[in-house]
């Protein structure tokens, strides 16, 4: 398994999947330095036939500080913007042609066949999953529905999950250690 860590969340992918910690990649960093408003998702992976754009939010231990993000459209706009910018940066990498490690991701997106793209918001919060289904004014299903509506022009499938999700599509995530401070 290939591991990618985002703070206290570890995502594990099969070794043969092209997988990148996207917001640490040099091509993305260069683009975000040139265009200061560019943001990217945390992880991009391809497990045929799907590509996964994964944004990780670990709100454990910070419910009060993050309540405004969950009760307004702030989280929705943040994630949608990161998806849009990630797709734009991958398009630029495809046009550039010199990014060998991004090539499998670009081929998936821009190849002759239209292939599925799953956007996954991995949202960790305090408490058990049943208690999180509706928390702080917004139901997770509402969050998923509103985010899917905004991303509709991109023809992606969207899911909001946490680390207890048993079937994310061949990969898994685990919340590690102590709650972030």
């Amino acid at each position: 398994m290939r591991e990618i860590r985002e703070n206290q969340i570890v995502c594990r992918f099969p070794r043969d999947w092209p997988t990148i910690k996207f917001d640490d990649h040099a091509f993305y960093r260069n683009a975000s330095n040139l265009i200061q408003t560019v943001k990217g998702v945390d992880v991009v992976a391809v497990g045929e036939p799907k590509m996964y754009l994964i944004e990780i939010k670990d709100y454990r231990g910070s419910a009060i500080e993050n309540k405004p993000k969950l009760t307004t459209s702030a989280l929705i706009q943040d994630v949608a913007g990161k998806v849009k910018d990630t797709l734009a940066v991958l398009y630029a990498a495809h046009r550039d042609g010199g990014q060998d490690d991004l090539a499998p991701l670009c081929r998936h997106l821009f190849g002759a066949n239209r292939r599925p793209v799953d956007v996954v918001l991995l949202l960790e919060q305090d408490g058990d999953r049943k208690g999180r289904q509706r928390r702080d004014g917004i139901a997770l299903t509402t969050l998923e529905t509103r985010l899917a509506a905004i991303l509709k022009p991109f023809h992606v499938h969207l899911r909001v999950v946490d680390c207890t999700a048993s079937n994310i599509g061949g990969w898994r995530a685990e919340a590690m250690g102590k709650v972030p401070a």
Side-chain angles (χ1 to χ4, degrees), residues 121-179:
L121 171 57
L122 184 60
L123 179 61
E124 278 299 304
Q125 301 179 77
D126 295 319
D128 62 18
R129 181 154 177 86
K130 186 176 180 185
R132 289 190 303 262
Q133 291 302 312
R134 180 168 185 86
R135 162 150 310 147
D136 297 326
I138 189 167
L140 295 183
T141 54
T142 302
L143 176 67
E144 189 171 86
T145 301
R146 289 175 59 198
L147 192 49
I150 289 173
L151 294 173
K152 186 176 181 178
F154 295 99
H155 301 282
V156 298
H157 179 257
L158 179 98
R159 295 189 339 180
V160 178
V161 300
D162 65 12
C163 290
T164 65
S166 60
N167 181 15
I168 307 177
W171 63 277
R172 65 182 190 273
E174 182 179 355
M176 304 298 290
K178 295 184 178 183
V179 174

Side-chain angles (χ1 to χ4, degrees), residues 26-39 89 92 96:
F27 193 84
Y28 163 78
R29 290 271 182 208
N30 186 47
S32 66
N33 286 336
L34 292 171
I35 305 170
Q36 311 256 315
T37 59
V38 169
K39 292 181 166 189
V89 170
D96 179 68

